[in-house]
Protein backbone atom coordinates (compact mmCIF):
# COMPACT_ATOMS: atom_id res chain seq x y z
CA UNK A 1 0.00 0.00 0.00
CA UNK A 2 1.06 3.57 -0.64
CA UNK A 3 0.22 6.78 1.19
CA UNK A 4 -2.41 9.29 0.12
CA UNK A 5 0.33 11.74 -0.77
CA UNK A 6 2.11 9.17 -2.93
CA UNK A 7 -1.12 8.20 -4.69
CA UNK A 8 -1.91 11.79 -5.58
CA UNK A 9 1.63 12.36 -6.82
CA UNK A 10 1.57 9.25 -9.02
CA UNK A 11 -1.74 10.28 -10.58
CA UNK A 12 -0.47 13.78 -11.32
CA UNK A 13 2.62 12.34 -13.03
CA UNK A 14 0.46 10.42 -15.52
CA UNK A 15 -1.91 13.22 -16.59
CA UNK A 16 -1.64 16.04 -19.04
CA UNK A 17 -4.29 18.32 -20.51
CA UNK A 18 -6.30 16.98 -23.43
CA UNK A 19 -5.44 18.29 -26.89
CA UNK A 20 -7.28 21.52 -27.77
CA UNK A 21 -10.31 21.50 -30.05
CA UNK A 22 -12.20 24.21 -31.91
CA UNK A 23 -15.85 24.53 -30.97
CA UNK A 24 -18.73 26.91 -31.57
CA UNK A 25 -18.79 29.75 -29.09
CA UNK A 26 -22.34 28.80 -28.09
CA UNK A 27 -20.97 25.46 -26.77
CA UNK A 28 -17.84 26.85 -25.13
CA UNK A 29 -19.19 27.99 -21.76
CA UNK A 30 -17.26 26.49 -18.86
CA UNK A 31 -14.19 25.66 -20.94
CA UNK A 32 -10.66 27.05 -20.75
CA UNK A 33 -9.26 28.89 -23.77
CA UNK A 34 -6.42 27.05 -25.47
CA UNK A 35 -5.34 30.03 -27.61
CA UNK A 36 -5.41 33.82 -27.46
CA UNK A 37 -8.42 35.52 -29.03
CA UNK A 38 -7.98 38.83 -30.88
CA UNK A 39 -10.66 41.22 -32.01
CA UNK A 40 -11.22 41.34 -35.75
CA UNK A 41 -12.95 44.73 -35.78
CA UNK A 42 -13.23 47.94 -33.83
CA UNK A 43 -16.11 47.54 -31.37
CA UNK A 44 -18.24 49.59 -31.53
CA UNK A 45 -17.57 49.75 -35.26
CA UNK A 46 -18.78 53.38 -35.30
CA UNK A 47 -19.35 56.15 -32.81
CA UNK A 48 -22.80 55.61 -31.33
CA UNK A 49 -25.22 57.21 -28.93
CA UNK A 50 -25.32 55.95 -25.35
CA UNK A 51 -28.93 57.08 -24.86
CA UNK A 52 -32.04 58.57 -26.41
CA UNK A 53 -31.59 62.26 -27.09
CA UNK A 54 -30.30 64.73 -29.66
CA UNK A 55 -26.96 64.71 -31.50
CA UNK A 56 -25.21 68.01 -32.02
CA UNK A 57 -21.91 69.85 -32.31
CA UNK A 58 -20.77 70.79 -28.82
CA UNK A 59 -19.84 74.28 -29.96
CA UNK A 60 -23.54 74.84 -30.86
CA UNK A 61 -24.80 74.06 -27.33
CA UNK A 62 -25.96 77.62 -26.66
CA UNK A 63 -27.87 77.99 -29.95
CA UNK A 64 -31.45 77.18 -30.84
CA UNK A 65 -30.86 74.20 -33.10
CA UNK A 66 -32.82 73.27 -36.19
CA UNK A 67 -34.08 69.65 -36.09
CA UNK A 68 -33.24 67.95 -39.41
CA UNK A 69 -34.02 64.24 -38.93
CA UNK A 70 -33.33 61.21 -36.78
CA UNK A 71 -30.93 58.28 -36.40
CA UNK A 72 -32.27 54.98 -35.07
CA UNK A 73 -30.34 51.89 -34.01
CA UNK A 74 -29.72 49.65 -37.01
CA UNK A 75 -30.11 52.41 -39.59
CA UNK A 76 -28.19 51.71 -42.80
CA UNK A 77 -27.76 55.33 -43.89
CA UNK A 78 -26.21 58.33 -42.20
CA UNK A 79 -27.08 62.01 -42.14
CA UNK A 80 -24.82 65.02 -41.76
CA UNK A 81 -25.51 67.93 -39.46
CA UNK A 82 -24.20 71.39 -40.16
CA UNK A 83 -23.63 74.26 -37.77
CA UNK A 84 -26.85 75.15 -35.96
CA UNK A 85 -28.46 71.74 -36.64
CA UNK A 86 -29.36 68.73 -34.50
CA UNK A 87 -30.71 65.26 -35.12
CA UNK A 88 -32.98 63.09 -33.04
CA UNK A 89 -31.01 59.99 -32.00
CA UNK A 90 -31.71 56.77 -30.11
CA UNK A 91 -29.56 54.46 -27.97
CA UNK A 92 -27.10 52.46 -30.04
CA UNK A 93 -27.63 54.51 -33.20
CA UNK A 94 -24.65 55.79 -35.23
CA UNK A 95 -23.71 59.37 -34.52
CA UNK A 96 -24.52 61.67 -37.47
CA UNK A 97 -21.57 63.02 -39.39
CA UNK A 98 -20.48 66.32 -37.91
CA UNK A 99 -21.92 65.57 -34.44
CA UNK A 100 -19.71 64.98 -31.41
CA UNK A 101 -22.08 65.09 -28.43
CA UNK A 102 -25.53 63.82 -27.38
CA UNK A 103 -27.82 65.63 -25.00
CA UNK A 104 -30.44 63.65 -23.09
CA UNK A 105 -33.98 64.05 -24.37
CA UNK A 106 -35.09 65.14 -20.89
CA UNK A 107 -32.78 68.15 -21.04
CA UNK A 108 -34.14 70.06 -24.02
CA UNK A 109 -37.10 72.25 -24.87
CA UNK A 110 -38.72 72.27 -28.28
CA UNK A 111 -40.44 75.24 -29.91
CA UNK A 112 -41.07 76.28 -33.50
CA UNK A 113 -39.20 73.26 -34.84
CA UNK A 114 -36.07 74.15 -32.95
CA UNK A 115 -34.31 72.57 -29.97
CA UNK A 116 -32.88 74.52 -27.06
CA UNK A 117 -30.57 72.77 -24.59
CA UNK A 118 -31.24 72.91 -20.86
CA UNK A 119 -28.09 71.09 -19.70
CA UNK A 120 -25.47 73.34 -18.09
CA UNK A 121 -23.29 70.30 -17.34
CA UNK A 122 -22.99 69.18 -20.95
CA UNK A 123 -19.41 68.31 -21.93
CA UNK A 124 -17.78 67.49 -25.27
CA UNK A 125 -18.38 63.83 -26.20
CA UNK A 126 -20.97 63.29 -23.47
CA UNK A 127 -23.25 60.28 -24.02
CA UNK A 128 -21.20 59.09 -26.99
CA UNK A 129 -19.60 55.64 -27.24
CA UNK A 130 -16.46 56.16 -29.29
CA UNK A 131 -15.53 53.82 -32.12
CA UNK A 132 -13.33 51.04 -30.71
CA UNK A 133 -14.01 52.03 -27.11
CA UNK A 134 -14.85 48.40 -26.21
CA UNK A 135 -11.90 47.02 -28.13
CA UNK A 136 -9.79 47.96 -31.15
CA UNK A 137 -9.43 45.66 -34.12
CA UNK A 138 -6.40 43.42 -33.66
CA UNK A 139 -6.26 43.91 -29.88
CA UNK A 140 -6.03 40.95 -27.48
CA UNK A 141 -9.54 40.17 -26.28
CA UNK A 142 -8.91 37.11 -24.05
CA UNK A 143 -5.81 35.09 -23.28
CA UNK A 144 -4.99 31.41 -23.44
CA UNK A 145 -5.90 29.92 -20.08
CA UNK A 146 -8.85 32.26 -19.45
CA UNK A 147 -12.08 30.71 -18.18
CA UNK A 148 -15.07 31.10 -20.48
CA UNK A 149 -17.71 32.37 -18.10
CA UNK A 150 -21.17 33.50 -19.27
CA UNK A 151 -19.88 37.09 -19.37
CA UNK A 152 -16.83 36.01 -21.38
CA UNK A 153 -19.06 34.21 -23.88
CA UNK A 154 -21.18 37.33 -24.24
CA UNK A 155 -18.11 39.54 -24.65
CA UNK A 156 -16.65 37.35 -27.40
CA UNK A 157 -20.00 37.16 -29.18
CA UNK A 158 -20.25 40.93 -28.94
CA UNK A 159 -16.96 41.37 -30.78
CA UNK A 160 -17.96 38.95 -33.53
CA UNK A 161 -16.20 35.73 -32.43
CA UNK A 162 -18.10 32.58 -33.40
CA UNK A 163 -15.53 29.83 -32.74
CA UNK A 164 -12.80 29.35 -30.14
CA UNK A 165 -10.00 26.89 -29.37
CA UNK A 166 -10.51 25.28 -25.96
CA UNK A 167 -9.36 22.39 -23.82
CA UNK A 168 -12.22 19.88 -24.07
CA UNK A 169 -14.11 18.36 -21.19
CA UNK A 170 -13.11 14.71 -20.82
CA UNK A 171 -15.47 11.95 -21.89
CA UNK A 172 -16.26 9.73 -18.91
CA UNK A 173 -17.42 6.12 -18.69
CA UNK A 174 -18.85 4.68 -15.46
CA UNK A 175 -18.87 0.91 -15.09
CA UNK A 176 -21.00 -0.35 -12.22
CA UNK A 177 -20.20 -3.92 -11.19
CA UNK A 178 -22.15 -6.34 -9.03
CA UNK A 179 -24.90 -8.93 -9.37
CA UNK A 180 -26.62 -7.63 -6.24
CA UNK A 181 -27.53 -4.23 -7.65
CA UNK A 182 -31.11 -3.14 -8.31
CA UNK A 183 -32.26 0.07 -9.97
CA UNK A 184 -34.10 2.65 -7.83
CA UNK A 185 -37.86 2.47 -8.27
CA UNK A 186 -37.94 -1.31 -8.49
CA UNK A 187 -38.71 -3.61 -5.55
CA UNK A 188 -35.76 -5.14 -3.72
CA UNK A 189 -35.47 -8.91 -3.86
CA UNK A 190 -33.63 -10.86 -1.18
CA UNK A 191 -29.90 -10.07 -1.29
CA UNK A 192 -30.26 -6.96 -3.45
CA UNK A 193 -29.22 -3.37 -2.77
CA UNK A 194 -30.11 -0.25 -4.70
CA UNK A 195 -27.48 1.01 -7.12
CA UNK A 196 -26.51 4.59 -6.25
CA UNK A 197 -22.91 5.02 -7.38
CA UNK A 198 -23.71 5.89 -10.99
CA UNK A 199 -26.22 8.46 -9.73
CA UNK A 200 -23.80 10.19 -7.37
CA UNK A 201 -20.91 10.14 -9.84
CA UNK A 202 -23.05 11.37 -12.74
CA UNK A 203 -24.39 14.19 -10.59
CA UNK A 204 -20.88 15.15 -9.46
CA UNK A 205 -19.61 15.17 -13.04
CA UNK A 206 -22.57 17.21 -14.26
CA UNK A 207 -21.82 19.71 -11.50
CA UNK A 208 -18.41 20.18 -13.14
CA UNK A 209 -19.97 20.80 -16.55
CA UNK A 210 -19.21 17.33 -17.93
CA UNK A 211 -22.10 16.10 -20.03
CA UNK A 212 -20.56 13.19 -21.96
CA UNK A 213 -21.00 10.39 -19.43
CA UNK A 214 -21.69 6.80 -20.50
CA UNK A 215 -22.92 4.31 -17.91
CA UNK A 216 -22.37 0.57 -18.20
CA UNK A 217 -23.35 -2.36 -16.01
CA UNK A 218 -21.26 -5.50 -15.59
CA UNK A 219 -21.93 -8.70 -13.66
CA UNK A 220 -19.27 -10.21 -11.43
CA UNK A 221 -17.81 -12.19 -14.30
CA UNK A 222 -14.29 -11.72 -15.68
CA UNK A 223 -15.23 -12.19 -19.33
CA UNK A 224 -18.18 -9.82 -19.14
CA UNK A 225 -16.21 -7.16 -17.26
CA UNK A 226 -13.28 -7.39 -19.69
CA UNK A 227 -15.58 -6.85 -22.67
CA UNK A 228 -17.39 -3.94 -21.03
CA UNK A 229 -14.10 -2.32 -20.03
CA UNK A 230 -12.73 -2.62 -23.57
CA UNK A 231 -15.89 -1.07 -24.97
CA UNK A 232 -15.86 1.78 -22.45
CA UNK A 233 -12.24 2.70 -23.20
CA UNK A 234 -12.87 3.12 -26.93
CA UNK A 235 -14.83 6.35 -26.60
CA UNK A 236 -13.74 7.63 -23.16
CA UNK A 237 -10.85 9.59 -21.70
CA UNK A 238 -11.55 8.40 -18.15
CA UNK A 239 -13.12 5.13 -16.98
CA UNK A 240 -14.51 4.85 -13.46
CA UNK A 241 -15.26 1.35 -12.23
CA UNK A 242 -17.18 0.93 -8.99
CA UNK A 243 -16.91 -2.29 -7.01
CA UNK A 244 -14.94 -5.45 -7.71
CA UNK A 245 -11.62 -3.79 -6.92
CA UNK A 246 -10.69 -5.70 -3.76
CA UNK A 247 -9.35 -9.26 -3.53
CA UNK A 248 -12.52 -11.31 -3.08
CA UNK A 249 -13.54 -14.29 -5.20
CA UNK A 250 -15.86 -12.08 -7.25
CA UNK A 251 -13.56 -9.05 -7.55
CA UNK A 252 -12.30 -9.02 -11.14
CA UNK A 253 -11.36 -5.39 -11.85
CA UNK A 254 -7.60 -5.84 -11.42
CA UNK A 255 -7.53 -8.96 -13.59
CA UNK A 256 -9.79 -7.44 -16.24
CA UNK A 257 -7.62 -4.33 -16.39
CA UNK A 258 -4.56 -6.48 -16.98
CA UNK A 259 -6.31 -8.40 -19.79
CA UNK A 260 -7.21 -5.06 -21.42
CA UNK A 261 -3.59 -3.89 -21.49
CA UNK A 262 -4.01 -1.32 -18.73
CA UNK A 263 -0.79 -0.45 -16.92
CA UNK A 264 -1.29 -0.57 -13.16
CA UNK A 265 0.18 2.49 -11.46
CA UNK A 266 -0.99 1.53 -7.97
CA UNK A 267 -3.52 -0.59 -6.11
CA UNK A 268 -4.45 0.09 -2.48
CA UNK A 269 -3.92 3.31 -0.56
CA UNK A 270 -3.43 3.74 3.17
CA UNK A 271 -6.77 5.48 3.70
CA UNK A 272 -10.26 5.02 5.06
CA UNK A 273 -12.63 4.88 3.31
CA UNK A 274 -11.40 3.68 -0.08
CA UNK A 275 -8.35 1.54 0.72
CA UNK A 276 -8.66 -0.78 -2.36
CA UNK A 277 -8.41 2.14 -4.83
CA UNK A 278 -6.86 1.21 -8.20
CA UNK A 279 -5.33 3.55 -10.76
CA UNK A 280 -3.99 2.62 -14.17
CA UNK A 281 -3.41 4.02 -17.65
CA UNK A 282 -3.57 2.91 -21.24
CA UNK A 283 -2.17 5.33 -23.80
CA UNK A 284 -3.60 8.65 -22.56
CA UNK A 285 -6.67 7.10 -20.93
CA UNK A 286 -7.09 7.06 -17.15
CA UNK A 287 -8.72 4.13 -15.37
CA UNK A 288 -9.86 4.37 -11.75
CA UNK A 289 -11.09 1.32 -9.87
CA UNK A 290 -13.20 2.70 -7.03
CA UNK A 291 -14.45 0.60 -4.10
CA UNK A 292 -18.12 -0.28 -4.28
CA UNK A 293 -19.29 1.27 -1.02
CA UNK A 294 -21.05 4.57 -1.82
CA UNK A 295 -19.16 6.69 0.70
CA UNK A 296 -15.84 5.26 -0.51
CA UNK A 297 -16.77 6.11 -4.10
CA UNK A 298 -17.38 9.78 -3.37
CA UNK A 299 -14.40 10.11 -1.05
CA UNK A 300 -12.11 8.74 -3.77
CA UNK A 301 -13.83 10.85 -6.40
CA UNK A 302 -13.13 14.13 -4.57
CA UNK A 303 -9.60 13.15 -3.60
CA UNK A 304 -8.36 11.63 -6.85
CA UNK A 305 -10.79 11.60 -9.77
CA UNK A 306 -11.92 15.22 -9.70
CA UNK A 307 -8.39 16.69 -9.60
CA UNK A 308 -7.46 14.43 -12.54
CA UNK A 309 -10.48 15.53 -14.55
CA UNK A 310 -9.67 19.16 -13.86
CA UNK A 311 -6.12 18.67 -15.11
CA UNK A 312 -7.40 17.09 -18.31
CA UNK A 313 -9.56 20.15 -19.04
CA UNK A 314 -6.80 22.56 -17.88
CA UNK A 315 -8.84 23.80 -14.90
CA UNK A 316 -8.10 24.43 -11.27
CA UNK A 317 -9.37 21.90 -8.75
CA UNK A 318 -12.80 22.93 -7.45
CA UNK A 319 -12.16 21.21 -4.09
CA UNK A 320 -10.54 23.84 -1.90
CA UNK A 321 -8.54 23.17 1.26
CA UNK A 322 -8.91 25.16 4.46
CA UNK A 323 -7.76 25.00 8.05
CA UNK A 324 -10.39 24.50 10.74
CA UNK A 325 -10.49 23.80 14.47
CA UNK A 326 -12.08 20.58 15.66
CA UNK A 327 -15.18 21.12 17.79
CA UNK A 328 -14.71 17.98 19.93
CA UNK A 329 -12.12 15.23 20.46
CA UNK A 330 -11.84 12.36 17.99
CA UNK A 331 -9.81 9.15 17.95
CA UNK A 332 -8.87 6.61 15.28
CA UNK A 333 -6.28 3.83 14.84
CA UNK A 334 -2.93 4.78 13.34
CA UNK A 335 -1.81 3.52 9.94
CA UNK A 336 -4.51 4.98 7.68
CA UNK A 337 -5.43 8.51 6.65
CA UNK A 338 -9.10 9.01 7.52
CA UNK A 339 -11.47 11.19 5.54
CA UNK A 340 -14.44 12.07 7.74
CA UNK A 341 -17.65 13.63 6.50
CA UNK A 342 -17.99 16.92 8.32
CA UNK A 343 -19.67 20.28 8.69
CA UNK A 344 -17.40 23.30 8.24
CA UNK A 345 -18.53 26.75 9.35
CA UNK A 346 -16.79 29.89 10.59
CA UNK A 347 -13.43 28.19 10.94
CA UNK A 348 -14.81 25.25 12.93
CA UNK A 349 -15.39 21.68 11.78
CA UNK A 350 -17.55 18.94 13.28
CA UNK A 351 -17.39 15.26 12.29
CA UNK A 352 -20.81 13.89 11.45
CA UNK A 353 -22.26 10.57 12.54
CA UNK A 354 -22.67 7.57 10.18
CA UNK A 355 -19.05 7.51 9.00
CA UNK A 356 -19.22 3.91 7.75
CA UNK A 357 -18.26 3.51 4.09
CA UNK A 358 -21.60 1.98 3.07
CA UNK A 359 -23.61 4.93 4.43
CA UNK A 360 -24.34 8.08 2.43
CA UNK A 361 -26.69 9.81 4.86
CA UNK A 362 -23.85 11.78 6.46
CA UNK A 363 -22.29 12.57 3.07
CA UNK A 364 -25.64 14.02 2.00
CA UNK A 365 -25.33 16.54 4.85
CA UNK A 366 -21.59 17.16 4.68
CA UNK A 367 -19.92 20.20 3.14
CA UNK A 368 -16.36 19.00 3.72
CA UNK A 369 -14.07 16.06 4.28
CA UNK A 370 -11.89 16.21 7.39
CA UNK A 371 -8.38 14.89 6.75
CA UNK A 372 -6.88 12.98 9.68
CA UNK A 373 -3.19 12.09 9.33
CA UNK A 374 -2.37 8.39 9.11
CA UNK A 375 0.23 8.53 11.90
CA UNK A 376 -1.94 10.27 14.51
CA UNK A 377 -4.48 8.52 16.73
CA UNK A 378 -5.95 11.17 19.01
CA UNK A 379 -7.24 14.60 18.03
CA UNK A 380 -8.18 17.14 20.67
CA UNK A 381 -10.81 19.85 20.69
CA UNK A 382 -9.48 22.98 18.96
CA UNK A 383 -6.79 21.06 17.08
CA UNK A 384 -6.16 22.72 13.71
CA UNK A 385 -6.98 20.28 10.89
CA UNK A 386 -7.03 20.36 7.10
CA UNK A 387 -10.50 20.14 5.57
CA UNK A 388 -11.48 19.68 1.94
CA UNK A 389 -14.36 22.04 1.09
CA UNK A 390 -16.69 20.16 -1.25
CA UNK A 391 -18.18 21.91 -4.30
CA UNK A 392 -21.63 23.35 -3.59
Amino acid sequence: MISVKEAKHLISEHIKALNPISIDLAKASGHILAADVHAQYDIPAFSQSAMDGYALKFDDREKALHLIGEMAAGTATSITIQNGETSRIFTGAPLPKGADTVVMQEKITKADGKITLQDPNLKPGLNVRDKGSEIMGGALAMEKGDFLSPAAIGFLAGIGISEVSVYPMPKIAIIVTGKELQQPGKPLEFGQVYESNSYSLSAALKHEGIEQVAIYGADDDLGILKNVLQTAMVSSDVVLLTGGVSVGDYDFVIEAASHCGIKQIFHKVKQKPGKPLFFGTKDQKLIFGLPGNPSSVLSCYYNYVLPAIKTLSHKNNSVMEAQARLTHPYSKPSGLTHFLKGKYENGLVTPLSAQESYRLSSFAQANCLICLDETQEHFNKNDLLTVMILPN
Side-chain angles (χ1 to χ4, degrees), residues 32-309:
I32 300 294
L33 276 175
D36 293 346
V37 178
H38 292 82
Q40 298 173 291
Y41 312 101
D42 294 341
I43 303 295
F46 49 85
S47 294
Q48 61 181 204
S49 177
M51 60 183 56
D52 295 347
Y54 295 84
L56 65 143
K57 297 182 178 183
F58 179 76
D59 290 343
D60 286 346
R61 63 191 181 280
E62 296 179 356
K63 300 177 182 177
L65 303 175
H66 180 63
L67 183 61
I68 63 165
E70 70 173 34
M71 295 289 289
T75 185
T77 58
S78 181
I79 60 176
T80 301
I81 63 169
Q82 306 295 337
N83 293 336
E85 295 179 339
T86 185
S87 166
R88 184 79 165 100
I89 197 167
F90 298 92
T91 304
L95 207 65
K97 295 176 181 178
D100 57 22
T101 304
V102 173
V103 62
M104 295 173 61
Q105 62 186 14
E106 296 88 351
K107 296 186 177 183
I108 62 96
T109 57
K110 184 188 298 185
D112 300 325
K114 292 188 176 182
I115 299 298
T116 302
L117 278 59
Q118 304 293 326
D119 187 358
N121 297 316
L122 192 68
K123 297 178 180 179
L126 191 64
N127 303 321
V128 174
R129 302 167 182 163
D130 290 332
K131 179 182 179 181
S133 56
E134 173 72 288
I135 194 167
M136 300 294 293
L140 179 65
M142 294 189 70
E143 294 183 272
K144 176 182 178 179
D146 283 348
F147 177 71
L148 289 171
S149 66
I153 295 294
F155 168 59
L156 293 180
I159 65 172
I161 303 298
S162 62
E163 188 175 88
V164 288
S165 176
V166 301
Y167 295 100
M169 305 288 193
K171 302 180 184 71
I172 311 293
I174 300 171
I175 302 175
V176 181
T177 70
K179 293 180 180 292
E180 76 279 14
L181 301 177
Q182 176 63 290
Q183 288 300 306
K186 296 182 179 180
L188 284 178
E189 302 295 338
F190 180 75
Q192 289 184 326
V193 297
Y194 284 122
E195 193 278 300
S196 64
N197 289 333
S198 69
Y199 288 82
S200 60
L201 287 172
S202 295
L205 293 166
K206 185 176 182 180
H207 188 275
E208 300 300 328
I210 297 173
E211 301 290 344
Q212 297 187 65
V213 179
I215 300 175
Y216 302 85
D219 284 342
D220 296 323
D221 177 276
L222 177 59
I224 293 174
L225 181 56
K226 182 179 69 174
N227 291 335
V228 172
L229 182 52
Q230 287 175 330
T231 299
M233 285 194 297
V234 170
S235 57
S236 302
D237 302 302
V238 180
V239 178
L240 308 178
L241 298 105
T242 69
V245 75
S246 192
V247 291
D249 291 346
Y250 296 97
D251 294 326
F252 296 113
V253 166
I254 307 303
E255 192 174 354
S258 178
H259 279 289
C260 292
I262 295 167
K263 179 184 177 182
Q264 177 177 312
I265 307 303
F266 65 76
H267 179 215
K268 295 186 180 180
V269 181
K270 292 188 284 185
Q271 64 183 13
K272 184 178 181 180
K275 185 169 66 172
L277 177 69
F278 168 89
F279 173 67
T281 63
K282 183 174 183 181
D283 301 324
Q284 298 300 315
K285 300 178 186 295
L286 310 179
I287 294 85
F288 290 89
L290 310 177
N293 281 319
S295 188
S296 300
V297 166
L298 281 182
S299 182
C300 290
Y301 170 81
Y302 288 119
N303 270 285
Y304 306 103
V305 177
L306 181 56
I309 288 172

Side-chain angles (χ1 to χ4, degrees), residues 333-351:
S334 64
L336 298 177
T337 297
H338 281 218
F339 296 106
L340 305 180
K341 285 79 75 177
K343 274 286 190 179
Y344 169 77
E345 188 174 11
N346 298 325
L348 300 175
V349 66
T350 302

